[in-house]
């Protein structure tokens, strides 16, 4: 029986900020637990605690002795080469095969061998020890590492190559427990498919943190959501859900609907209590004038009404205090593009491209995109997706070809966002563009949590900075919106809202993305860019609109 991975009441803080608070999980063999949540909620921290790389402030972790951890930036032994790293992964498998051969020869004469043989055999079968060398060769080939020299020092590899080498070692060794942090980074579709097959074949524990929704849907049997529970005043971290990601989306949608209903009911009750708590004698006065000159009875009844009213007011005030203390937070509005984006007013095609060339980076024969269209640009790394968006935004001049962009305003969200005034808060940065009384408020977009609005931009995470830049772009109401890998560094829920918002847009939207979930559900036009074939001849070309500018220079 393979061991489980257990964590109890894990708490971890950094620089006085609590990242994990009371997280618990049980990951059983044969189950594959996907950890999800907003950027900065503690997914990587949790995996480091489970792997024993960090120690929790409180709580405990009970992990299998044989554990493989794939970090976003994997570590290797000092001086390791490609060959020595693979040899270290293969060594336990080779030893098991050799020991089985020795035990097999001693079974007839050595009672100890009779006891030991079933244990080693079970381990070797679970780890597919006889197939280890073929598996290592296949992993290196399909992860694009077959061309690496065996004596190449690991420290000389690129970050992507080191990550893929660490994954190849994990696929070779097949440990009892596998922890993976964003494993699809640096992988093409073929490599991701290999990863899925590997995870599905493991008999032990699998825990992965990933933004790849297709991977989570196909591989995950359970989910652990580190985001606070929707609609709970205090929030609880580490909510377990048994089922696929698509099932969880429906569950979350139902949760949100209940949250909105409860919030609306609470607001109505709060309004009623505030009215009741502010009543005074004149609001329900008994005063209709004394009858038969009986002023004594009149005053007696008036005093009785006053006392009853006072009791009702005190009761309403107490109930109001409790209700205000326990009221739910306001549901975050979903991302919306339908109001800000505008359609091209010229009546012409928004984009028209002919024989576009950017030497060594981009090759595109033609592209025509009408006003209001939605285009998804895909292709392998290096095929020129980002370069195409930069050309359309007027930030990159092509070496050859003709580019016409009939849009008065263009917005580009690059992969790397840089805010010059990092000391300004998110709200101040937004106000710089639109003034203190803008037509659209930053909070309306639902891209940043209210507590993040007054944090310095330099203190925001990469994902938070990109969401701020996106809010600024959308608030500008561009006729053409260009998004480069928009689902990177954002939560799974927000990525779904982004896709839905694009579908409702009245303006023209071009998205460059490798997101498989987005690609599989895309209903607009598609463009697959070919890999450029080195330096291409041709006279330098010019944009057909010299005055074309993107107004994203500030972010």
């Amino acid at each position: 029986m393979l061991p489980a991975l257990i964590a109890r009441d894990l708490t971890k803080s950094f620089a006085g900020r609590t990242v994990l608070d009371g997280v618990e999980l049980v990951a059983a063999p044969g189950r594959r637990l996907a950890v999800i949540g907003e950027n900065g909620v503690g997914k990587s921290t949790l995996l480091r605690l489970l792997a024993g790389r960090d120690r929790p402030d409180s709580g405990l972790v009970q992990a299998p002795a044989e554990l493989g951890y794939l970090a976003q930036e994997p570590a290797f032994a000092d001086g390791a080469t490609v060959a020595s790293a693979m040899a270290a992964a293969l060594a336990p498998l080779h030893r098991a095969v050799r020991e089985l051969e020795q035990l097999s020869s001693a079974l007839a004469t050595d009672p100890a061998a009779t006891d030991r043989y079933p244990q080693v055999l079970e381990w070797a079968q679970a780890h597919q020890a006889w197939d280890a060398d073929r598996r290592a060769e296949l992993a290196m080939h399909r992860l694009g590492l077959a061309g690496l020299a065996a004596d190449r020092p690991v420290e000389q590899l690129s970050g992507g190559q080191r990550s893929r080498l660490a994954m190849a070692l994990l696929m070779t060794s097949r440990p009892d427990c596998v922890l993976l942090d964003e494993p699809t980074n640096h992988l093409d579709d073929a490599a991701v498919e290999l990863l899925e097959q590997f995870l599905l074949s493991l008999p032990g524990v699998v825990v992965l943190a990933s933004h790849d929704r297709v991977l989570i849907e196909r591989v995950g049997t359970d989910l652990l959501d580190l985001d606070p529970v929707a609609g709970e005043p205090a929030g609880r971290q580490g909510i377990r859900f048994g089922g696929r990601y698509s099932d969880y989306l429906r569950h979350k949608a139902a949760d949100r609907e209940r949250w909105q209903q409860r919030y609306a009911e609470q607001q109505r009750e709060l309004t009623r209590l505030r009215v009741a708590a502010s009543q005074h004698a004149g609001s329900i006065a008994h005063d209709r004038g004394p009858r038969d000159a009986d002023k004594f009875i009149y005053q007696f009844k008036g005093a009785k009404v006053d006392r009853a009213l006072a009791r009702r007011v005190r009761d309403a005030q107490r109930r109001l205090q409790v209700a205000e203390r326990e009221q739910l937070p306001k549901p975050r509005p979903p991302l919306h593009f339908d109001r800000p984006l505008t359609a091209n007013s010229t009546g012409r095609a928004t984009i028209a491209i002919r024989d576009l060339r950017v030497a060594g980076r981009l090759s595109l024969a033609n592209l025509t995109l009408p006003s209001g269209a939605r285009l998804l640009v895909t292709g392998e790394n290096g095929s020129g997706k980002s370069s195409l968006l930069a050309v359309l935004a007027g930030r990159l001049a092509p070496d050859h070809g003709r580019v016409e962009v009939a849009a008065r305003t263009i917005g580009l969200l690059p992969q790397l966002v840089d805010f010059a005034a990092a000391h300004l808060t998110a709200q101040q940065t937004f106000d710089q563009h639109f003034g203190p009384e803008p037509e659209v408020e930053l909070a309306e977009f639902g891209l940043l949590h209210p507590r993040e609005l007054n944090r310095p931009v330099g203190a925001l995470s990469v994902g938070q900075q990109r969401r701020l830049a996106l809010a600024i772009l959308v608030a500008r109401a561009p006729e053409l919106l260009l998004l480069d890998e928009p689902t990177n560094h954002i939560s799974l829920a927000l990525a779904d809202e982004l896709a839905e918002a694009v579908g409702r847009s009245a303006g023209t939207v071009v998205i460059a993305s490798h997101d498989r979930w987005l690609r599989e559900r895309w209903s607009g036009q598609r463009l697959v860019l070919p890999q450029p074939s080195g330096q291409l001849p041709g006279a330098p070309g010019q944009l057909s609109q010299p005055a074309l500018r993107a107004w994203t220079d500030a972010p």
Side-chain angles (χ1 to χ4, degrees):
M1 179 67 68
L2 295 175
L5 172 65
I6 301 171
R8 300 293 187 197
D9 198 23
L10 293 185
T11 300
K12 184 68 176 179
S13 299
F14 294 99
R17 184 175 75 91
T18 300
V19 178
L20 296 175
D21 186 8
V23 175
E24 300 198 358
L25 67 86
V26 176
R31 307 293 292 182
R32 295 173 294 276
L33 178 66
V35 182
I36 62 176
E38 285 279 2
N39 287 87
V41 79
K43 299 186 296 295
S44 295
T45 299
L46 175 60
L47 262 64
R48 289 186 61 83
L49 296 179
L50 297 177
R53 301 301 174 91
D54 284 340
R55 293 179 61 85
D57 298 333
S58 62
L60 61 89
V61 175
Q62 180 180 333
E66 189 180 303
L67 183 148
Y69 171 51
L70 180 64
Q72 293 191 43
E73 296 181 3
F76 293 86
D78 292 340
T81 64
V82 173
S84 67
M86 182 57 73
L90 286 168
L93 302 162
H94 291 166
R95 282 197 301 269
V97 172
R98 289 195 301 270
E99 185 178 1
L100 278 175
E101 293 173 350
Q102 296 168 357
L103 291 171
S104 179
S105 302
L107 284 176
T109 58
D110 186 356
T114 304
D115 295 334
R116 174 68 175 163
Y117 184 85
Q119 301 173 14
V120 179
L121 177 62
E122 182 181 7
W123 188 94
Q125 289 174 333
H127 292 73
Q128 299 180 1
W130 293 273
D131 193 41
D133 291 285
R134 186 199 67 82
R135 191 166 62 249
E137 183 178 355
L138 176 64
M140 293 290 285
H141 175 73
R142 293 190 57 181
L143 292 173
L145 302 172
L148 293 179
D151 60 351
R152 178 89 173 267
V154 173
E155 63 182 11
Q156 295 181 6
L157 301 180
S158 68
Q161 288 173 325
R162 286 196 296 271
S163 293
R164 283 180 275 136
L165 177 59
M167 185 172 294
L169 303 181
L170 205 61
M171 292 179 176
T172 298
S173 59
R174 293 175 62 86
D176 291 340
C177 179
V178 174
L179 309 177
L180 308 101
D181 193 358
E182 297 294 349
T184 57
N185 289 353
H186 311 292
L187 299 186
D188 58 20
D189 287 354
V192 173
E193 183 180 352
L194 177 66
L195 171 64
E196 290 174 357
Q197 295 170 354
F198 164 67
L199 296 177
L200 290 170
S201 71
L202 289 176
V205 173
V206 174
V207 179
L208 68 149
S210 178
H211 282 90
D212 189 326
R213 293 166 287 174
V214 175
L215 176 69
I216 293 174
E217 172 72 10
R218 294 179 180 176
V219 170
T221 59
D222 302 90
L223 298 173
L224 181 69
D225 191 349
L226 293 182
D227 284 334
V229 178
E232 293 292 338
R236 300 195 311 276
Q237 208 176 12
I239 303 304
R240 184 70 171 258
F241 180 83
R244 299 289 184 182
Y245 176 64
S246 54
D247 299 325
Y248 186 62
L249 289 180
R250 290 188 286 271
H251 172 76
K252 290 282 281 187
D255 269 356
R256 181 179 180 83
E257 184 175 352
R258 286 191 293 269
W259 179 12
Q260 291 172 326
Q261 291 174 350
R262 291 172 58 196
Y263 177 80
E265 292 169 358
Q266 278 193 347
Q267 293 305 305
R268 288 192 293 269
E269 177 65 8
L270 283 168
T271 299
R272 189 189 68 79
L273 289 173
R274 289 185 181 116
V275 171
S278 62
Q279 285 182 347
H280 53 83
S283 62
I284 55 171
H286 68 288
D287 194 357
R288 297 185 181 89
R291 296 179 181 178
D292 301 326
D294 192 347
K295 294 183 178 181
F296 175 78
I297 297 299
Y298 172 77
Q299 293 174 352
F300 174 79
K301 290 182 177 180
K304 188 175 181 180
V305 169
D306 287 342
R307 289 193 298 272
L309 176 59
R311 286 195 299 270
R312 289 167 56 185
V313 169
R314 287 194 300 271
D315 180 63
Q317 289 173 340
R318 285 194 298 269
R319 293 171 62 188
L320 177 61
Q321 290 176 351
V322 173
E324 287 180 335
R325 186 170 60 249
E326 297 181 352
Q327 68 175 312
L328 299 175
K330 184 177 181 179
R332 179 181 64 83
L335 179 65
H336 55 87
F337 283 173
D338 47 338
R339 183 177 70 177
L341 288 191
T342 55
N344 177 3
S345 59
T346 65
R348 296 183 292 156
T350 299
I351 296 172
I353 292 176
R354 295 292 181 273
D355 197 24
L356 173 62
R357 302 286 188 276
V358 178
R361 297 168 65 176
L362 175 63
S363 174
L364 181 58
N366 61 77
L367 172 66
T368 301
L369 199 65
S371 174
R374 292 172 293 280
L375 175 68
L376 178 64
V377 182
T378 63
E380 298 295 335
N381 290 336
S383 61
K385 299 188 293 295
S386 297
S387 296
L388 175 59
L389 266 59
V391 168
L392 295 175
R395 293 189 173 189
L396 176 65
D399 298 306
H400 179 73
R402 182 179 180 182
V403 178
E404 296 180 357
V405 180
R408 292 175 301 178
T409 51
I410 302 172
L412 169 65
L413 178 70
Q415 291 194 44
L416 297 177
V417 174
D418 182 24
F419 289 94
H423 65 285
L424 295 180
T425 67
Q427 185 64 60
Q428 290 170 337
T429 303
F430 187 85
D431 292 345
Q432 267 195 334
H433 290 79
F434 306 104
E437 296 183 0
E439 293 183 4
V440 181
E441 296 289 343
L442 174 57
E444 290 183 29
F445 292 97
L447 288 166
L448 292 175
H449 192 280
R451 64 172 174 266
E452 297 163 355
L453 300 182
N454 294 315
R455 292 183 62 191
V457 169
L460 298 178
S461 69
V462 173
Q464 291 164 343
Q465 290 187 23
R466 292 198 84 210
R467 282 179 274 160
L468 173 59
L470 178 59
I472 294 172
L473 292 182
V474 174
R476 290 277 191 172
E479 292 184 356
L480 174 61
L481 183 62
L482 309 171
L483 305 175
D484 194 356
E485 299 292 357
T487 60
N488 283 2
H489 306 292
I490 66 175
S491 71
L492 302 183
L494 186 57
D496 290 324
E497 292 178 1
L498 174 63
E500 293 178 5
V502 167
R504 297 191 305 267
S505 168
T508 305
V509 181
V510 179
I511 294 181
S513 180
H514 68 282
D515 188 324
R516 294 189 298 161
W517 186 271
L518 181 63
R519 281 156 40 192
E520 289 183 1
R521 288 156 179 80
W522 186 257
S523 59
Q525 294 180 248
R526 297 171 182 260
L527 172 65
V528 181
L529 290 177
Q531 200 76 15
S533 55
Q535 300 293 325
L536 297 173
Q542 297 293 328
L543 289 173
S544 59
Q545 295 182 2
L548 180 67
R549 292 180 302 176
W551 32 249
T552 55
D553 296 333

